[in-house]
């Protein structure tokens, strides 16, 4: 099982980090040890002083596919949730400055908590999926899938040209604006269409 993450997929987030608008999807991967199950705590890593949350819609791949056409892509994922792409922003800044890979900053253990998955056919409107995260009871991030630069189908099709997607793989689809730091003792709640899909503590 692997985790694919899409970067720079919402305009307002690209602006807040002052990054360039991508011409095609940008992706990186996290290992299976990054996964944290719903309602399990996140342990703040000792190698960073600036861990940021990025709240993202997460697709689960339902069947193996390689070089999937955009027109067929929706058959390859069937459930969705909200997750956090935890990022050691201090390490990421150093990696970017030196042109080094991001793994240290992005792919560490426990860097990918997810909520409970929901079937697409249970959603109110699969074309505009509202999601968000509350930090200590206040909205920290809210987004909607209608604002994606690259659609779910585009992303799944694009990634599968390079990397075979297998049943059980997860695709984090990018964060909207409002990323920020977490601290030990914080309580995080993930919401999909108004329903809480995970609540956990930073320890
Ligand atoms: Mn992200």
């Amino acid at each position: 099982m692997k985790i694919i993450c899409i970067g720079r997929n919402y305009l307002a987030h690209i602006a807040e980090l002052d990054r360039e608008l991508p011409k095609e999807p940008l992706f990186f991967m996290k290992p299976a040890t990054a996964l944290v199950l719903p309602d399990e705590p996140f342990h703040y890593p000792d190698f960073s002083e600036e861990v940021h949350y990025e709240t993202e819609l997460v697709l689960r791949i339902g069947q193996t596919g390689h070089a999937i056409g955009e027109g067929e892509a929706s058959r390859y994922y069937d459930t969705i949730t909200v997750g956090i792409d935890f990022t050691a922003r201090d390490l990421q800044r150093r990696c970017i400055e030196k042109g080094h890979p991001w793994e240290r900053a992005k792919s560490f253990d426990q860097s990918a908590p997810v909520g409970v998955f929901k079937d697409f056919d249970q959603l109110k409107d699969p074309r505009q999926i509202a999601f968000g995260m509350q930090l200590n009871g206040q909205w920290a991030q809210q987004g909607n899938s209608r604002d994606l630069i690259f659609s779910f189908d585009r992303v799944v099709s694009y990634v599968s040209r390079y990397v075979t997607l297998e049943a059980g793989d997860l695709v984090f689809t990018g964060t909207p604006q409002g990323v920020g730091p977490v601290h030990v003792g914080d309580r995080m709640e993930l919401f999909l269409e108004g329903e809480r899909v995970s609540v956990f503590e930073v320890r």
Side-chain angles (χ1 to χ4, degrees):
M1 177 268 181
K2 59 188 175 290
I3 300 169
I4 312 275
C5 300
I6 306 301
R8 303 183 202 171
N9 210 8
Y10 290 86
L11 276 178
H13 170 64
I14 294 170
E16 77 181 344
L17 290 189
D18 196 21
R19 308 264 205 252
E20 222 172 277
L21 187 66
K23 292 188 184 68
E24 46 188 21
L26 179 163
F27 75 93
F28 56 92
M29 297 204 275
K30 294 182 190 253
T33 55
L35 187 69
V36 180
L37 296 174
D39 302 340
E40 293 291 320
F42 168 70
H43 294 89
Y44 201 103
D46 61 7
F47 48 75
S48 173
E49 266 151 37
E50 196 187 354
V51 172
H52 275 198
Y53 52 79
E54 297 188 355
T55 309
E56 311 195 1
L57 288 169
V58 181
L59 307 173
R60 183 157 59 196
I61 298 298
Q63 59 168 319
T64 298
H66 172 72
I68 301 164
E70 209 172 315
E72 292 104 71
S74 66
R75 287 200 266 123
Y76 287 81
Y77 56 87
D78 44 14
T79 60
I80 186 165
T81 192
V82 177
I84 302 289
D85 166 19
F86 274 122
T87 304
R89 198 69 76 197
D90 45 358
L91 300 190
Q92 189 194 29
R93 210 173 291 124
R94 276 178 250 156
C95 293
I96 288 172
E97 273 165 21
K98 293 184 177 165
H100 289 171
W102 287 1
E103 271 76 1
R104 236 161 30 106
K106 281 285 198 182
S107 311
F108 53 88
D109 287 350
Q110 300 203 338
S111 60
V114 295
V116 173
F117 282 83
K118 221 174 159 175
D119 284 340
F120 263 81
D121 48 23
Q122 286 178 266
L123 299 173
K124 290 174 202 146
D125 184 351
R127 289 158 308 172
Q128 32 187 338
I129 305 164
F131 67 103
M133 185 269 288
Q134 287 189 6
L135 187 64
N136 303 320
Q138 306 284 338
W139 284 111
Q141 277 193 287
Q142 285 181 280
N144 194 298
S145 66
R146 65 171 174 248
D147 299 322
L148 286 164
I149 297 173
F150 302 111
S151 68
F152 297 152
D153 292 349
R154 176 80 203 281
V155 154
V156 166
S157 168
Y158 182 86
V159 170
S160 74
R161 281 165 56 193
Y162 303 93
V163 179
T164 297
L165 294 173
E166 298 171 290
D169 288 350
L170 303 183
V171 182
F172 279 61
T173 58
T175 181
Q177 78 274 28
V179 300
V182 286
H183 302 98
V184 172
D186 282 347
R187 175 184 155 96
M188 304 181 75
E189 295 173 85
L190 310 184
F191 292 88
L192 180 63
E193 289 192 324
E195 191 184 313
R196 193 170 74 181
V197 291
S198 182
V199 53
F200 63 92
E201 204 190 6
V202 179
R203 288 193 185 154

